[in-house]
Amino acid sequence: MKLKKGSPLERIYNGVWRENPTFVLMLGMCATLAVTTSAVNAIAMGLSTAAVLIFSNLIISALRKLIPDGVRMPAYIVIVATLVTVVEFLMHAFLTDLYDALGIYLPLIVVNCIILGRAEAYASKNPVLSSVFDGLGMGLGFTASLTIIGLVREFIGSGTLFGFTVLGDWFTPVSIFVMAPGAFFVLAIIAAVRNVIVRPHVRENAINEISCGGNCRYCSGTLCAENHRRLREDETSASAPKATEKEAKS
Amino acid sequence: MKIILLTIVTTVLIDNVVLSQFLGLCPFLGVSGKIKTALGMSGAVVFVMALSSFVSAVIYELLLKPFDLGYLRTIVFILIIAALVQFVEMVLKKFIPALHQSLGVYLPLITTNCAVLGAALKNVQDGLNIGMSTLAGTGTAIGFGVAIIIMAGIREKIEGNDVPRAFRGLPLALMTAGLMAIAFMGFSSLR
């Protein structure tokens, strides 16, 4: 598929598939593990994050020439925190059940790597329209992956899908899958599948790349940006594996 | 006295911040390769988290609550934590260089760590007072330390093992975390 760089469709394709935040980049793990006990919670979390992401990308991209470089992180954090508070209010007013179910993970969207990562890696350097669609693509990708994980955990852990019982009485739910350890196991399986499927160089430092160097703040600044770059490089130089080897050595 | 003990046991073991609440997962997976770095990281987290829970509780109780500004807590807390980490780093560098040497690298790593913000927000949500907030924050941080040090110990042991290729690296770390989470579920009967 050949799409124009920065066009709305290319951005959405990029977010949902090529650089899927959960399955490819492995960002925002805290939220991913914590709220995927059921598909409904997962969708709610995904959509809230998507909403924050779209608007933060919009605002940050619009202000990208006004925000001085030295204070950009605090500025981004204030913008994101404001948006998260708005989302929190809306959820509290109209979707109280979900608000209660998501608990402190809703305000914690502020420190979700995806949001500051996209602000730093994309919105701060690109025009408004592309940034909005970048946010939309990443948000949809995040929502889709959370929903998939939520469905798997809900199905195995309580025998339901979206709250409807699908399996008969013969099925004994493996309730550990809706508890904390199950989250780790499901993610471990996903990461193992990803290890096999995703391009080889990404698995070289499999442990570091999720951690963003252990620092959400520099998410896009160090290792994640490095991953983005490598992903891109890999696509262009798929036929020349020697270049990647050289790079790995240096 | 009983409630103090209960808070510590709850925050350190029962509601372990990493293994049952999934907060601070990035450093937990990223900095748990060696026991030494895990120790440094947990030291920094305990230091910052105790301080930040105290400061954010003070600001919430004395500033936000009286003026009915509770809804600003997310913004205020994240700014407090970011400023505090910078400040702590400067103070340590100037006055206690030895401590800065051992913790310095890890301090900037926790500025926007979700565990730090999560602990502050959770204290407000649970309606704890300033003293209890500080205690709960410290307990949470110790819980993080316990988890990451155990994790580092396990990972040092399994490092050289012949693991199926697909499970090398992150998947194995996550499996380990899952097994640890099962072990920690045993503590819930302490409640």
Side-chain angles (χ1 to χ4, degrees):
Chain A
M1 189 151 47
K2 196 77 192 157
L3 289 164
K4 199 170 146 273
K5 209 162 181 275
S7 71
L9 257 182
E10 188 265 346
R11 281 291 100 201
I12 291 177
Y13 166 70
N14 183 61
V16 174
W17 188 254
R18 204 168 61 106
E19 290 186 6
N20 183 297
T22 308
F23 294 147
V24 180
L25 299 181
M26 293 241 150
L27 293 177
M29 284 298 117
C30 305
T32 308
L33 291 176
V35 300
T36 49
T37 47
S38 76
V40 176
N41 285 357
I43 291 183
M45 187 65 186
L47 290 181
S48 325
T49 311
V52 173
L53 191 53
I54 292 168
F55 284 102
S56 74
N57 267 10
L58 170 78
I59 296 172
I60 287 165
S61 167
L63 296 176
R64 69 185 186 280
K65 290 185 181 121
L66 291 176
I67 300 175
D69 210 37
V71 293
R72 64 181 197 289
M73 268 305 158
Y76 295 167
I77 290 178
V78 173
I79 293 169
V80 176
T82 313
L83 291 166
V84 170
T85 311
V86 171
V87 169
E88 222 182 319
F89 267 169
L90 289 173
M91 291 273 279
H92 201 170
F94 298 110
L95 300 163
T96 318
D97 290 348
L98 283 175
Y99 176 84
D100 292 335
L102 296 182
I104 60 162
Y105 297 101
L106 199 55
L108 284 178
I109 294 177
V110 182
V111 283
N112 191 323
C113 280
I114 300 170
I115 297 189
L116 280 182
R118 290 325 283 175
E120 177 88 351
Y122 200 85
S124 60
K125 299 185 191 95
N126 287 285
V128 175
L129 189 71
S130 316
S131 302
V132 169
F133 278 98
D134 182 73
L136 181 65
M138 283 284 162
L140 286 180
F142 188 58
T143 312
S145 7
L146 283 198
T147 313
I148 293 171
I149 301 175
L151 281 173
V152 171
R153 285 182 65 190
E154 195 185 335
F155 184 70
I156 306 177
S158 30
T160 59
L161 288 176
F162 294 107
F164 299 106
T165 313
V166 282
L167 292 178
D169 293 332
W170 55 269
F171 178 72
T172 319
V174 190
S175 55
I176 199 141
F177 272 85
V178 289
M179 291 191 269
F184 286 112
F185 291 143
V186 172
L187 196 69
I189 302 290
I190 290 170
V193 173
R194 168 179 171 278
N195 256 358
V196 178
I197 295 173
V198 174
R199 301 168 184 82
H201 62 83
V202 178
R203 36 169 207 261
E204 293 292 307
N205 297 319
I207 197 69
N208 288 325
E209 99 226 21
I210 131 159
S211 62
C212 308
N215 182 1
C216 301
R217 186 173 149 211
Y218 298 119
C219 197
S220 58
T222 53
L223 279 163
C224 295
E226 180 72 8
N227 287 334
H228 282 254
R229 198 174 58 77
R230 284 193 179 182
L231 270 173
R232 227 159 272 137
E233 230 164 54
D234 183 65
E235 291 204 337
T236 51
S237 66
S239 53
K242 278 186 181 167
T244 13
E245 264 179 41
K246 210 174 177 183
E247 191 185 280
K249 270 178 195 165
S250 64
Chain B
M1 191 60 217
K2 198 181 158 200
I3 188 143
I4 292 177
L5 208 66
L6 201 67
T7 308
I8 293 175
V9 172
T10 309
T11 49
V12 176
L13 297 175
I14 302 173
D15 284 338
N16 187 283
V17 63
V18 185
L19 297 171
S20 86
Q21 300 188 60
F22 310 109
L23 299 177
L25 213 59
C26 291
F28 176 70
L29 294 170
V31 202
S32 60
K34 297 224 159 48
I35 291 185
K36 196 164 158 272
T37 46
L39 274 170
M41 186 70 192
S42 33
V45 168
V46 172
F47 197 71
V48 168
M49 220 138 130
L51 214 56
S52 73
S53 340
F54 172 70
V55 175
S56 49
V58 167
I59 298 228
Y60 186 76
E61 288 290 325
L62 301 183
L63 212 64
L64 296 182
K65 220 165 151 189
F67 293 103
D68 216 12
L69 292 172
Y71 61 88
L72 282 179
R73 60 178 186 271
T74 313
I75 303 182
V76 172
F77 285 0
I78 184 102
L79 290 178
I80 291 175
I81 292 165
L84 193 74
V85 173
Q86 299 277 333
F87 181 69
V88 165
E89 206 188 346
M90 283 192 281
V91 169
L92 283 187
K93 202 171 183 178
K94 183 93 174 74
F95 297 107
I96 323 173
L99 195 60
H100 182 258
Q101 277 261 305
S102 52
L103 297 187
V105 206
Y106 305 101
L107 279 176
L109 290 186
I110 30 186
T111 314
T112 50
N113 181 329
C114 47
V116 183
L117 180 64
L121 287 169
K122 200 160 181 297
N123 292 339
V124 169
Q125 201 184 40
D126 296 348
L128 302 179
N129 61 23
I130 296 176
M132 288 308 277
S133 291
T134 316
L135 187 68
T138 317
T140 310
I142 295 172
F144 175 85
V146 168
I148 195 174
I149 290 167
I150 296 177
M151 180 74 170
I154 298 176
R155 283 183 61 188
E156 276 192 355
K157 285 260 184 277
I158 58 179
E159 198 176 24
N161 289 5
D162 191 19
V163 183
R165 214 193 61 195
F167 276 87
R168 272 177 211 162
L170 187 60
L172 189 65
L174 286 166
M175 279 288 178
T176 317
L179 292 174
M180 277 171 69
I182 294 184
F184 269 69
M185 271 169 67
F187 288 119
S188 58
S189 57
L190 284 175
R191 204 190 297 262

